[in-house]
Every structure is written in C-alpha cells, then in structure tokens.
Amino acid sequence: MKNNTKVTVEFLKEKAKKLSVLYVEDEELLRNTTTAFLRKLFQNVEVAVDGKEGLDKFTHNKYDIVITDISMPNMNGLELISNIRKKNLQQEIIIMTAHTESKYTNQVKTANVAGYIFKPVEINQMLEILSISIERLN
C-alpha cells in the first residue's frame, strides 16, 4: 500500500508540477503539515490563514486549485468560495473540512466544488481528490 502511494505521488508530481495552489487553513499544525505535502507535488503553493487573506491572495494572483477549510475566522470557507465564484465560475476548488453535519450540506452542494477532503486527513483520500482536480485541469 505504501509503495502504491509513492507511485501515485510520483505520477501526480509530473502532472502537477506547473500548477499552482492556494491553501487556506487556520489550524496551524494541519496547515504546516499539509503545506509541506502540497509542496512535494506543486511548485507554487501559497498559504493563507483565513478566508479574508485567502480572498486577498486570490484577487491578486492566479491559482489553478484553491483548497480551503470551512470554519475559519474573519471569513469562512463558504464565504470565500462565494467570493471566488463571483470572480471565476470555473475555478477548481477543494474543501478540506471536519464538518459532516447537515447545516453545511446545502451550502456545500451549491458551492460546486471539485471534491472534499475530510479531517483527519488521510493521504490516499487527499491524493484521490487532487488527482481529480489535476486531471480536470490537464
């Protein structure tokens, strides 16, 4: 299984090397760990600590993929997605969340995202969702 993951990572590295990612997460430990992993796949990974900073970075730069948490201070992930959609309906967006409760279900459905990565993050799930986005972009 570990060897299979390594093959998947190498395959994705080749396809993702020229793509850029904006990763928006307020939880420091998860942000640092996930950022380190994303930098193994993508050459350009920008990080924001909340939705407000994420929107500011998105407004001033172009990203192929946006990965965002839902629950964050200053602007939550759903508000961020809504603002991104006003600027770019086709933006590839992935939600990373611990929320599975129904209060977010309808909002998430209308957000038109590429996929969901549930916390605690499992590497194979992350690779699967990233693969889908990378394939759509290529």
Side-chain angles (χ1 to χ4, degrees), residues 66-112:
V66 174
I67 302 171
T68 184
D69 187 15
I70 290 180
S71 294
M72 296 181 289
N74 300 320
M75 177 187 294
N76 72 40
L78 295 172
E79 293 169 313
L80 172 62
I81 292 168
S82 176
N83 281 291
I84 288 173
R85 290 288 180 233
K86 289 175 187 172
K87 298 173 184 304
N88 182 350
L89 287 172
Q90 304 305 311
Q91 179 64 52
E92 197 71 16
I93 300 173
I94 297 170
I95 292 176
M96 183 179 284
T97 185
H99 294 287
T100 56
E101 61 262 17
S102 60
K103 74 177 186 173
Y104 289 105
T105 304
N106 289 336
Q107 289 176 290
V108 168
K109 283 181 186 175
T110 61
N112 188 27

Side-chain angles (χ1 to χ4, degrees), residues 95-137:
I95 292 176
M96 183 179 284
T97 185
H99 294 287
T100 56
E101 61 262 17
S102 60
K103 74 177 186 173
Y104 289 105
T105 304
N106 289 336
Q107 289 176 290
V108 168
K109 283 181 186 175
T110 61
N112 188 27
V113 298
Y116 311 90
I117 299 170
F118 292 101
K119 297 175 187 176
V121 176
E122 293 181 11
I123 188 75
N124 288 328
Q125 182 195 23
M126 179 178 263
L127 290 171
E128 181 182 331
I129 299 303
L130 287 171
S131 294
I132 292 167
S133 286
I134 291 165
E135 285 299 319
R136 286 171 43 162
L137 291 166

Side-chain angles (χ1 to χ4, degrees), residues 5 22-23 28 30 40 42 49 58-59 63 71 81 94 96 105-106 108 110 112 134 138:
T5 301
L22 173 60
Y23 176 46
E28 185 178 13
L30 178 60
K40 291 180 181 184
F42 302 92
V49 299
F58 182 84
T59 301
Y63 301 97
S71 294
I81 292 168
I94 297 170
M96 183 179 284
T105 304
N106 289 336
V108 168
T110 61
N112 188 27
I134 291 165
N138 286 314

